[in-house]
Amino acid sequence: MRLTDEEFRAMNGPMRRFFQRRIEMPIFRRLGLRDQDLDILEVGCGPGYGAVLLAQLRPRSYLGIDIMPEQIELARKQWDLPDAEFLVMDASEMSPIGDASKDAVVIFDILHHIPKWREVIRECYRVLRPGGRMYLEEPSGTAVRLWDMVFQWNHPREALFGHRELEEHLGATGFATVRRIGLLVFGSYCARKDEAG
Ligand SMILES: C[S@@+](CC[C@H](N)C(=O)[O-])C[C@H]1O[C@@H](n2cnc3c(N)ncnc32)[C@H](O)[C@@H]1O
């Protein structure tokens, strides 16, 4: 789902980058996102700051996808990352990306925007290699509902899931939830695809 103009501005501001750099990425590192030479897919990359942070891992390849062409345009032009690729794509239907072609999938706060969030998780599972890991951070649906009352960002009702529902769906998709770190209303996860695939 497209962001409202207000949320688009907030997501492109220095405060958003501060949180991503100082809180979210360090939590992903604690959850195990430390290996170099990985094929990484970032789902819902927005304006591309995640790619800057993930470049510290010297990935073998990095692909960021987002449904908003404006975000992809910003991601392509505002960072000096010649090896990063950015594409407009719907996360609930990522058929251009091959099965079992990625070592890590990274999601910074996007599922609560997507009515078909369950399909996104299924697609992430599909593109991961056996033993690959998905790192994701999401606020609770209750928190998003409260923000919407204040900011009118209008997140889709179908995507206001709680962390327990998210964890149940990760398990139902086939992921083994390896670790979870909770911080206030946010849950960060490392979910592993079985070696058996
Ligand atoms: C809250 S922003 C987060 C952006 C970035 N990950 C960050 O942390 O700054 C949510 C992003 O998800 C994207 N998005 C929403 N629905 C999507 C979909 N179906 N497929 C791909 N991206 C989507 C939006 O365009 C937006 O860039």
Side-chain angles (χ1 to χ4, degrees), residues 105-119:
V105 172
V106 180
I107 292 182
F108 292 99
D109 286 316
I110 71 147
L111 295 179
H112 62 285
H113 287 270
I114 307 179
K116 294 183 179 175
W117 61 274
R118 292 181 182 82
E119 275 91 329

Side-chain angles (χ1 to χ4, degrees), residues 41-159:
L41 168 67
E42 186 186 351
V43 178
C45 62
Y49 191 59
V52 176
L53 299 173
L54 292 165
Q56 295 164 0
L57 299 177
R58 300 181 183 283
R60 187 182 314 133
S61 69
Y62 167 93
L63 168 62
I65 67 117
D66 200 284
I67 203 163
M68 289 180 70
E70 307 89 302
Q71 296 279 52
I72 291 299
E73 201 183 325
L74 281 171
R76 283 181 181 147
K77 74 174 182 211
Q78 72 181 327
W79 314 111
D80 183 22
L81 294 171
D83 297 328
E85 188 181 8
F86 297 100
L87 295 175
V88 176
M89 202 182 292
D90 182 345
S92 63
E93 210 290 291
M94 298 193 283
S95 55
I97 305 175
D99 296 355
S101 58
K102 303 292 174 190
D103 301 302
V105 172
V106 180
I107 292 182
F108 292 99
D109 286 316
I110 71 147
L111 295 179
H112 62 285
H113 287 270
I114 307 179
K116 294 183 179 175
W117 61 274
R118 292 181 182 82
E119 275 91 329
V120 178
I121 291 178
R122 214 167 295 138
E123 281 291 82
C124 292
Y125 187 85
R126 178 184 68 75
V127 304
L128 275 174
R129 297 191 171 111
R133 284 157 206 254
M134 175 163 73
Y135 296 87
L136 77 154
E137 196 227 32
E138 286 295 326
S140 73
T142 308
V144 177
R145 202 171 289 125
L146 285 173
W147 294 340
D148 280 351
M149 285 164 69
V150 178
F151 299 114
Q152 311 291 317
W153 283 353
N154 303 329
H155 293 88
R157 293 165 64 92
E158 306 90 314

Side-chain angles (χ1 to χ4, degrees), residues 44 124 152 160 173 184:
C124 292
Q152 311 291 317
L160 301 186
T173 306
L184 303 172

